[in-house]
């Protein structure tokens, strides 16, 4: 559980991808397609090698010039905002979904851009060559669940992802990035091999820290964050 990398790769996390104003998205959950493309093009110019989460797991000891692009929560606008950019640039990414919320609305964003994927939309991502992972069944704070409820969230979401992909679901992203030792152990017991949290933190297979990509800024801000010159806030 405590395997570490001396020089961890650049692990980026996004939520929804759509062009909206701060007024319509006060929590800054959405990044514009233009900013997403600027971030990825910057990494390509810097000769980063892109891996999916499972490829990172299989790599063993990737170099600091490795980038993993992840998306959380299961937004429907991934299909219209993220997927065209990724396909145009030839980048595979890992999308973390909550199967128990398929077809519903995100609780923190009103309007059409708050819509979540349904199962057919998740299947479209897989058909396009993207990777699917589990973000729990219904996105609770896992630390607050009893043992039975915790196991249900982890096992049922894993099984649902596997029904869509037809292959083992090996990676997990903690809702809100929140976890403790009990939750991490439950994730391992459910059969996940890699789990993503949030900054700050050391590299551990079941507590891997990710860097929130800047939702309202382009390549320059991302460069500062990767260099550790911007705080972890947005």
């Amino acid at each position: 559980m405590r395997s570490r990398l001396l020089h961890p790769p650049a692990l980026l996390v996004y939520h929804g991808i759509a062009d909206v104003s701060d007024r319509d998205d006060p929590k800054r959950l959405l990044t514009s397609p233009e900013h997403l493309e600027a971030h990825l093009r910057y990494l390509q110019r810097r000769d980063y090698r892109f891996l999916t989460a499972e490829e990172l797991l299989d790599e063993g000891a990737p170099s600091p010039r490795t980038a993993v692009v992840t998306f959380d929560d299961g937004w429907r606008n991934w299909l219209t905002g993220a997927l065209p950019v990724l396909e145009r640039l030839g980048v595979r990414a890992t999308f973390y979904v909550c199967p128990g919320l398929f077809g519903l609305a995100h609780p923190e964003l009103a309007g059409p851009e708050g819509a979540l994927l349904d199962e057919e939309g998740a299947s479209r991502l897989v058909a396009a060559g993207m990777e699917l992972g589990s973000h729990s069944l219904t996105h609770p704070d896992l630390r607050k669940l009893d043992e039975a409820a915790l196991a249900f969230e982890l096992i049922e979401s894993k099984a649902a992802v596997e029904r869509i992909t037809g292959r083992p679901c090996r990676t997990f992203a903690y809702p809100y990035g929140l976890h403790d030792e009990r939750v991490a152990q439950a994730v391992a017991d459910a059969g996940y091999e890699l789990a993503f949290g949030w900054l700050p933190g050391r590299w551990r297979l079941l507590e891997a820290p990710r860097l929130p990509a800047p939702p309202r800024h382009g390549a320059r801000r991302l460069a500062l964050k990767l260099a550790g010159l911007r705080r972890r806030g947005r």
Side-chain angles (χ1 to χ4, degrees):
M1 179 182 296
R2 296 183 182 276
S3 297
R4 302 173 188 172
L5 294 178
L6 181 61
H7 300 291
L11 305 177
L12 299 182
V13 55
Y14 296 85
H15 288 90
I17 304 296
D19 195 0
V20 297
S21 67
D22 282 349
R23 182 186 64 183
D24 294 329
D25 177 28
K27 294 190 175 181
R28 297 190 171 190
L29 294 171
L30 304 182
T31 301
S32 73
E34 292 76 17
H35 284 141
L36 172 63
E37 182 162 348
H39 299 163
L40 299 182
R41 288 191 180 277
Y42 168 78
L43 294 171
Q44 289 178 330
R45 291 195 302 272
R46 299 287 293 172
D47 295 324
Y48 276 80
R49 183 170 59 107
F50 290 91
L51 299 178
T52 66
E54 287 190 14
E55 289 170 341
L56 174 69
L57 180 61
D58 291 334
E59 185 84 355
S63 75
R65 288 291 181 183
T66 298
V68 180
V69 181
T70 67
F71 298 83
D72 282 3
D73 292 1
W75 303 81
R76 191 170 68 190
N77 56 36
W78 288 345
L79 298 172
T80 54
L83 188 56
V85 174
L86 294 166
E87 291 183 318
R88 184 162 59 250
L89 299 183
V91 174
R92 291 185 69 215
T94 303
F95 293 83
Y96 288 99
V97 298
C98 300
L101 302 181
F102 278 160
L104 302 181
H106 198 284
E108 298 185 65
L109 189 68
E113 294 301 347
L116 299 177
L117 284 173
D118 55 16
E119 185 170 335
E120 187 274 335
S123 297
R124 285 175 59 188
L125 290 172
V126 175
M130 300 299 153
E131 190 171 274
L132 221 60
S134 169
H135 197 37
S136 79
L137 193 64
T138 62
H139 205 276
D141 181 345
L142 298 176
R143 302 171 303 173
K144 298 180 179 179
L145 303 183
D146 62 26
E147 301 302 326
L150 175 59
F152 185 81
E153 285 281 338
L154 298 174
I155 293 170
E156 291 301 313
S157 58
K158 187 175 190 294
V161 170
E162 291 173 346
R163 285 194 295 270
I164 295 170
T165 65
R167 56 192 308 276
C169 176
R170 303 168 63 198
T171 72
F172 182 79
Y174 295 103
Y176 312 105
L178 299 174
H179 60 280
D180 54 23
E181 289 295 329
R182 181 182 70 96
V183 170
Q185 184 59 55
V187 166
D189 292 343
Y192 297 101
E193 301 170 58
L194 173 66
F196 291 114
W198 210 256
L199 290 178
R202 296 171 294 176
W203 173 270
R204 299 179 180 179
L205 282 176
L206 294 180
E207 301 172 77
R210 290 183 293 173
L211 182 72
R216 297 293 191 267
H217 298 275
R220 184 183 298 272
R221 180 65 61 86
L222 177 63
L224 292 173
K225 295 192 78 171
L226 288 171
L229 300 178
R230 294 288 303 185
R231 62 185 179 86
R232 71 184 181 113
R234 308 288 174 89

